[in-house]
Amino acid sequence: MGNPHKDEIIIVGCGRVGAELALSVSRQNHTVTVVDVNPRTFDRLGPNFRGKTVQGEGLDRDVLQRAGIETAHALAAVTASDSANIVTARIARDLYHVPHVVARVYNPRRAPIYEKLGLQTVASSSWGAQRIEQLILHPGLQSVYSAGSGEVQLYEVSVTDEWEGRPLGDLLPAQGVLPVALTHGGRSGLPAPDARLHTHDLLVVSATSEGAEALRRRLHENDHGKD
């Protein structure tokens, strides 16, 4: 069964990246709530924004509850404060068990803190909104690079709860797919077939179109308990 709340997205921070992300996600008919301590920032959303705005600190649990965090499918913490983003992301992930949480890093020197906490992060403002959107809305199989005329592509897979603790070999089809990298807790390595998968790990594979389709089917079937 699908998640009945899969379309509810919370964006904490209405700066340039937060506003761009909110508008893009809203245009895709997702239910979007934007949280910011300064109500003037909501002007960035313009008159055509169809989502909801909540004034307040994103790390305030009462504010997050008003934003609908108890039923949210995803949360992006994109304020100008790394400390606030860390706290907000941890509250969303650890207290409310939001399935997909992404935090923006302003100061690269603080990236190791995020890594130790196992938080998914985005650091570049130039492509931050697009990347965050991909992580919170499309956590399955996503193409990130195409070689030649597209015969072989690199795909990124966000590991879901259904694959927690299972070996990588169980996920990959027998042909057409090769593992490239596995990121866990912010650290990447070359994965072995018996490597154990964990929720929110990011797996990069190279695959032909046939291999990618087989992998997509396997992910889809497992999400519906048919694996």
Side-chain angles (χ1 to χ4, degrees):
M1 296 293 293
N3 185 342
H5 306 297
K6 65 180 181 179
D7 291 331
E8 298 183 20
I9 313 297
I10 298 175
I11 299 169
V12 179
C14 196
R16 184 168 61 86
V17 170
E20 180 182 343
L21 176 63
L23 290 170
S24 178
V25 173
S26 178
R27 283 193 292 266
Q28 300 177 57
N29 296 319
H30 294 284
T31 301
V32 181
T33 300
V34 181
V35 177
D36 201 290
V37 68
N38 182 0
R40 293 184 180 180
T41 62
F42 299 141
D43 292 342
R44 292 191 175 98
L45 299 171
N48 297 323
F49 177 61
R50 295 177 294 176
K52 173 184 172 184
T53 59
V54 174
Q55 180 184 359
E57 292 281 359
L59 45 76
D60 186 322
R61 292 177 61 179
D62 290 336
V63 172
L64 291 175
Q65 288 177 353
R66 284 195 285 122
I69 196 169
E70 293 177 334
T71 56
H73 174 68
L75 178 142
V78 293
T79 75
S81 168
D82 284 342
S83 298
N85 290 343
I86 290 175
V87 174
T88 301
R90 292 196 68 187
I91 290 174
R93 186 192 64 180
D94 299 338
L95 296 183
Y96 292 99
H97 308 292
V98 176
H100 304 289
V101 177
V102 181
R104 185 182 179 194
V105 181
Y106 267 79
N107 185 348
R109 294 181 179 179
R110 295 185 178 178
I113 299 176
Y114 287 79
E115 293 175 0
K116 290 180 180 179
L117 296 173
L119 295 172
Q120 287 190 342
T121 63
V122 169
S124 173
S125 61
S126 63
W127 56 278
Q130 180 180 358
R131 177 60 175 150
I132 292 171
E133 178 181 330
Q134 183 184 76
L135 287 170
I136 64 177
L137 294 185
H138 309 291
L141 190 64
Q142 292 294 308
S143 176
V144 294
Y145 177 78
S146 178
S149 299
E151 297 88 354
V152 174
Q153 298 190 47
L154 287 182
Y155 294 89
E156 186 178 76
V157 180
S158 180
V159 178
T160 57
D161 293 338
E162 291 79 7
W163 291 96
E164 171 66 37
R166 297 179 61 177
L168 173 61
D170 284 1
L171 173 62
L172 301 182
Q175 296 181 336
V177 180
L178 292 175
V180 175
L182 182 64
T183 300
H184 175 71
R187 296 185 178 276
S188 299
L190 299 175
D194 60 350
R196 295 286 172 175
L197 300 171
H198 300 283
T199 305
H200 305 310
D201 282 358
L202 293 178
L203 172 67
V204 177
V205 301
S206 61
T208 63
S209 57
E210 294 82 3
E213 182 58 32
L215 178 56
R216 186 176 285 108
R217 287 197 303 268
R218 187 163 295 187
L219 288 166
H220 180 73
E221 290 171 358
N222 197 75
D223 285 344
H224 289 78
K226 301 177 181 179
D227 189 60

